Amino acid sequence: MTDQPAKRSDAITRGPSRAPARAMLRATGLTDDDFAKPMIAVVNTWSTITPCNLHLGDLAEPVRRGVRAAGGAPIDFNTIVVSDGITMGGAGMRASLISREVIADSIELAVRGHSLDGVIILVGCDKTLPAAAMALARMDVPGLIFYGGSIMPGRHKACPISIQDVFEAVGAHSRGTIDAEELGQIERGACPGAGACGGQFTANTMAMALAMMGLSPMGSADVPAVHEDKPAEAERCGRLVVDLAKGEISPRRFVTPASLRNAATSVAASGGSTNAVLHLAAIAAEAGVEFSIDLFDELSRETPVIADLKPGGRYLAFDMFKAGGCRLFGERLREAGRIADTPTVSGKTLFEELSEASETAGQDVVLGFDKPLKSTGGLRVLYGDLAPEGAVLKTAGQSREAFEGPARVFDSEEDAFAAVEAGKIRAGDVIVIRNEGPKGGPGMREMLAVTAAVAGQGLAGEVALITDGRFSGASHGFVIGHVAPEAAAGGPLGRLRDGDTIRINVETRRIDTDADLAARDPAPVPPRPIRGGVFDKYARLVSSASRGAVTIQPA
């Protein structure tokens, strides 16, 4: 063993003093030959609580096979997942964003604690993707991310549907436009099996962004969860991670200003989730790379939406895969000069990967810059009386450039949802949901239950919704989240009152009120519904949403 090249795992496998460690490792099935190989952490977010991660246990075996074939020794770890779709609208949603930090921390502890040489992270539901990237950027240990892929389309009345349709059906049911039987049919038909939610929601948005950033092998994320080609992609990724470990190619090589800009461009051009603003800022923070959320506004003003994907468009991720996938989408961006050539974990540059794009004849999912779905990108960053540190407006799927109306102020998502369900919200209202930010929630819940109920009642785009919380990638309408500073941190939303006029101007990037906020005391912050343990730790440590809501503060 002493003639082998030095590697991280020597700390637990080499020399007489490591005999106790080797003795324990032998009990797991490792041999002298394995001790000489790169030891690769196969970190899995497998769980039976959500279809997004349901199949990752099965995909781990071809990953391990690829690791072994490339000359590595796979070492399995598991970490957690909190399902956004299942917890949405309830107290459990407060755990979702917090889980991003816990997942990243647990990966770091397992990999660094055992001095492993490389890491491949299998991901599915929303927070597992950015958490994996944050962990890689933080540790800077060679590794990559393998996304388990999207769910297949559901069906209702011979039409493809997704979980978005179920949330919106709840609103339609409360309005009386569908009955309980049809609601049940939609519920039963939306999710046919394993895989992450099917639109350009957060998981698929981040999968695309990570491929464009170079941290996930191009093409591996496109293949749907249950597709026959998925195990081959898993094995390919297992081989690649060993190559990265042998070459000591670190993740920070891939997380750069240029690659982050590529990732943000993909979000803008695909009409992706506003959560990407939060997550890319967090990944950049972990890598020590300067990053401003204003980049999304800059890019959205000059980048059209060229992917006709839900929630703002017609199609689902499976349709994108059949059309040509991320390669075809990225090739459109390359042809238009909107992205830079950067390295990727496959060993090829981004442009080399995109040059292999193949377009399915007659597809109309990925569009051209000459005939985009929308002339500008899907996000705006606003500032003003109500958001001194910024707020994020999702513009994909709606075209209003301004909104003015009376504030309808609620101190929780539940209160706002009850008002929508009871028919107390009218066209022209500005729904304000405060105390749902990173500290105040805690955990910055997503407001999909409210936005879907609004859409289900036919009011999407007819009302505005402002919150210091977040929005699901499935949300659409005139919705503004990430308002910073948040109400619980003394932000202006805490001084708003019912009836205050709110003015929103997309072109001038302003979100203001006619109320004299400085002359008012903030409304009392209600007691947090969940207290103690990790929730209190998070509330004490978390930064502003404008800085990614990370818990590791800059030095």
Side-chain angles (χ1 to χ4, degrees):
M1 290 190 288
T2 56
D3 295 331
Q4 297 297 327
K7 48 189 176 58
R8 285 179 180 82
S9 58
D10 291 347
I12 61 171
T13 62
R14 181 172 290 191
S17 67
R18 306 317 299 159
R22 289 194 299 273
M24 297 191 73
L25 291 169
R26 292 182 195 282
T28 72
L30 295 183
T31 66
D32 286 337
D33 287 343
D34 293 321
F35 298 151
K37 299 173 182 176
M39 297 180 72
I40 306 298
V42 180
V43 181
N44 208 325
T45 60
W46 167 82
S47 172
T48 60
I49 192 63
T50 172
C52 308
N53 299 55
L54 180 65
H55 58 309
L56 298 183
D58 293 334
L59 286 176
E61 179 49 36
V63 167
R64 289 188 287 265
R65 192 162 58 241
V67 169
R68 293 188 187 100
I75 309 293
D76 288 279
F77 294 98
N78 214 67
T79 186
I80 66 165
V81 60
V82 174
S83 167
D84 286 40
I86 294 170
T87 62
M88 194 74 68
M93 211 321 146
R94 301 179 197 281
S96 170
L97 186 59
I98 300 175
S99 76
R100 186 188 71 176
E101 313 306 304
V102 174
I103 295 163
D105 290 351
S106 65
I107 294 170
E108 177 189 14
L109 290 171
V111 173
R112 284 184 165 163
H114 298 93
S115 303
L116 300 179
D117 302 298
V119 53
I120 178 171
I121 308 170
L122 283 69
V123 297
C125 192
D126 293 1
K127 303 308 168 291
T128 63
L129 286 90
M134 290 164 64
L136 288 178
R138 183 190 301 174
M139 298 184 299
D140 209 27
V141 172
L144 60 81
I145 299 164
F146 176 50
Y147 176 52
S150 177
I151 197 170
M152 297 295 283
R155 306 293 294 182
H156 177 62
K157 294 183 176 178
C159 295
I161 61 172
S162 73
I163 192 66
Q164 174 189 346
D165 298 278
V166 186
F167 279 101
E168 294 184 4
V170 172
H173 177 259
S174 69
R175 190 185 184 194
T177 53
I178 66 171
D179 59 21
E181 182 179 354
E182 185 167 6
L183 176 60
Q185 291 171 355
I186 295 170
E187 171 192 332
R188 289 168 174 79
C191 299
C197 299
Q200 192 66 346
F201 311 150
T202 302
N204 286 322
T205 296
M206 287 306 300
M208 178 182 286
L210 294 176
M212 296 297 291
M213 193 186 301
L215 279 178
S216 182
M218 181 63 68
S220 64
D222 293 340
V223 181
V226 299
H227 195 277
E228 62 183 5
D229 293 341
K230 199 67 178 181
E233 287 296 334
E235 186 167 345
R236 175 170 78 101
C237 289
R239 290 174 179 270
L240 286 175
V241 70
V242 178
D243 293 341
L244 293 169
K246 288 179 176 178
E248 276 293 315
I249 301 171
S250 71
R252 292 192 185 182
R253 180 184 179 193
F254 308 110
V255 185
T256 65
S259 73
L260 285 161
R261 187 181 182 91
N262 286 347
T265 299
S266 75
V267 176
S270 67
S273 170
T274 55
N275 280 315
V277 178
L278 202 69
H279 297 326
L280 291 183
I283 295 165
E286 295 284 3
V289 176
E290 289 291 328
F291 186 84
S292 170
I293 63 172
D294 288 339
L295 175 63
F296 284 93
D297 192 86
E298 172 197 333
L299 292 173
S300 283
R301 288 176 181 275
E302 63 186 31
T303 307
V305 176
I306 60 166
D308 193 357
L309 295 169
K310 287 179 179 290
R314 295 175 293 168
Y315 293 112
L316 295 168
F318 175 67
D319 303 301
M320 178 83 161
F321 165 67
K322 291 192 299 180
C326 188
R327 274 197 178 90
L328 177 61
F329 173 80
E331 178 65 3
R332 292 279 197 271
L333 297 178
R334 187 200 65 79
E335 290 169 347
R338 303 305 177 102
I339 55 175
D341 198 14
T342 54
T344 79
V345 291
S346 73
K348 299 177 182 178
T349 71
L350 179 62
F351 284 6
E352 287 172 339
E353 288 283 6
L354 299 181
S355 70
E356 299 176 10
S358 176
E359 182 174 2
T360 299
Q363 69 84 23
D364 59 351
V365 182
V366 182
L367 310 174
F369 274 71
D370 54 337
K371 292 183 179 179
L373 181 70
K374 196 171 182 289
S375 60
T376 55
L379 303 173
R380 288 286 191 276
V381 177
L382 311 178
Y383 294 88
D385 296 346
L386 296 180
E389 294 180 6
V392 181
L393 166 69
K394 186 169 188 175
T395 62
Q398 68 88 28
S399 58
R400 294 187 72 145
E401 291 295 318
F403 201 105
E404 181 173 329
R408 299 294 309 281
V409 182
F410 302 94
D411 282 323
S412 71
E413 179 187 9
E414 286 84 358
D415 290 349
F417 182 77
V420 175
E421 285 280 273
K424 295 180 180 179
I425 301 300
R426 301 285 182 265
D429 286 345
V430 180
I431 302 170
V432 176
I433 307 176
R434 63 191 181 194
N435 300 307
E436 292 285 7
K439 291 182 182 293
M444 205 178 179
R445 287 192 292 178
E446 293 178 351
M447 304 292 121
L448 179 57
V450 177
T451 60
V454 166
Q457 295 205 2
L459 292 172
E462 298 301 314
V463 301
L465 199 158
I466 300 170
T467 181
D468 49 13
R470 298 180 292 134
F471 290 110
S472 165
S475 293
H476 61 105
F478 203 87
V479 296
I480 299 170
H482 305 205
V483 173
E486 61 179 289
L493 290 189
R495 289 178 163 83
L496 271 181
R497 302 290 184 266
D498 270 344
D500 290 344
T501 298
I502 294 177
R503 294 185 300 276
I504 305 161
N505 189 303
V506 178
E507 181 58 31
T508 61
R509 301 177 63 190
R510 298 292 301 184
I511 174 170
D512 297 297
T513 178
D514 63 355
D516 184 1
L517 299 181
R520 294 177 179 168
D521 291 330
V525 176
R528 294 199 301 268
I530 300 180
R531 301 184 66 85
V534 69
F535 295 92
D536 281 357
K537 290 179 187 178
Y538 183 82
R540 284 196 297 268
L541 293 172
V542 70
S543 70
S544 167
S546 64
R547 297 192 294 276
V550 293
T551 55
I552 296 178
Q553 303 300 325

